[in-house]
Amino acid sequence: MTPVGLHYTLSHFDVPDLDENSYRLTIGQREISLAELKAMPSKTQRVTLECAGNGRAGFAPRYPSMPWTHGGVGTAQWTGVALKDVLGKVPEAIKEIAFFGADRGFDSGVEHHFGRSLGVADAMRDEVLLAWAMNGRPLAPQHGAPLRLVVPGWFGMASVKWLTRIELLEQSFDGYQQVVGYRYTKRRGEPGTPVRHAKVKSLMAPPGMPDWYTGRRLVSQGSIELEGRAWSGAGVAVARVELAVDGKWRAAELEAPAERFAWQRWRASWDALRGEHELACRASDAAGAVQPLEPDWNVGGMGNNAVQRVQVSVR
Ligand SMILES: Nc1nc2c(c(=O)[nH]1)N[C@H]1C(S)=C(S)[C@@H](COP(=O)(O)O)O[C@H]1N2
Ligand SMILES: [Mo]
């Protein structure tokens, strides 16, 4: 679990100041208060959330957006009501469900509320929540207070914060963040493919102490217990994690997930010998996806799940 103060946060515009007492969620013609939502049967789920831009700093050239290295991921306990219980039966003609935040701003000259959509089947899944609490406390302003969507298994952009409006659409949603913002494209302006589920990834807690500018780790020689986390998207489990020391891969020990949408712990021991070394970790998921050794570049700097490499000086 990631404490709230250590969980990454990504907001495209300003954090809106919403009062939970006067707050209303608008669904078509319907308005619902927070108290009404909280009176419904609620559930709590442990979910790993990763920004689609996590790893963007590993791309060259890099899109001038959030330059994440590896910090854009965290795991929290989200409490709320299942979206499908709030929506009830969705008419046959409905194709997509769009979610809008209270935040508003510009991107590439286009003014809009942050908005994203899901196909009806994706939106009606049991695990999709309208959440008002994170790690047992009311949502913090930066995490979407007083109510947000949580879409487990998808990259973070799907989990719309400061959720104030839901629309049932008979056609595809054409909002900026859907058709322009979150796409994998090789050239600016081309439609590319939509960014959807998270991809298989592993990270290690770097051993020893860091050197401030280079990030190189300083470690004392001897046996070192390495540990990290691994996860994938769409509720697919991680099947295997490997550790490489100076390019030689071997299996790490992998724990089962605490819950279907939460990351898994892995461990490996390393007999650190004096000198300069490179550590790397690589996960494979149950659907057969494997982390690539090199980043697969795209314009927006999305979905970089290349293996993490850590440079270590052993003294
Ligand atoms: N309304 C709104 N929802 C949003 C965003 C936003 O800017 N506005 N950012 C999205 C992105 S890109 C991510 S990665 C997650 C981040 O959620 P967090 O800040 O709670 O970690 O929220 C998503 N939901
Ligand atoms: Mo994100």
Side-chain angles (χ1 to χ4, degrees), residues 8 10 12 50-53 68 156-157 182:
Y8 87 94
L10 193 295
H12 288 240
E50 183 185 13
C51 182
W68 295 113
M157 74 286 153
Y182 286 92

Side-chain angles (χ1 to χ4, degrees), residues 75-144:
T75 299
Q77 201 88 18
W78 299 95
T79 301
V81 57
L83 173 68
K84 63 169 196 186
D85 292 348
V86 176
L87 291 182
K89 201 168 155 39
V90 171
E92 201 65 42
I94 300 305
K95 190 171 170 201
E96 290 193 5
I97 302 180
F99 306 88
F100 299 91
D103 52 334
R104 192 171 176 85
F106 289 83
D107 194 332
S108 304
V110 181
E111 184 182 346
H112 61 284
H113 281 281
F114 185 92
R116 289 279 313 176
S117 71
L118 293 170
V120 175
D122 289 322
M124 298 304 267
R125 293 180 64 89
D126 292 343
E127 67 268 17
V128 178
L129 289 187
L130 299 181
W132 54 77
M134 179 185 187
N135 293 352
R137 298 193 199 174
L139 285 185
Q142 69 273 23
H143 290 299

Side-chain angles (χ1 to χ4, degrees), residues 4 9 11 14-18 138-146 161-162:
V4 173
T9 180
S11 303
D14 299 337
V15 172
D17 185 10
L18 301 177
L139 285 185
Q142 69 273 23
H143 290 299
K161 302 192 279 189
W162 313 293

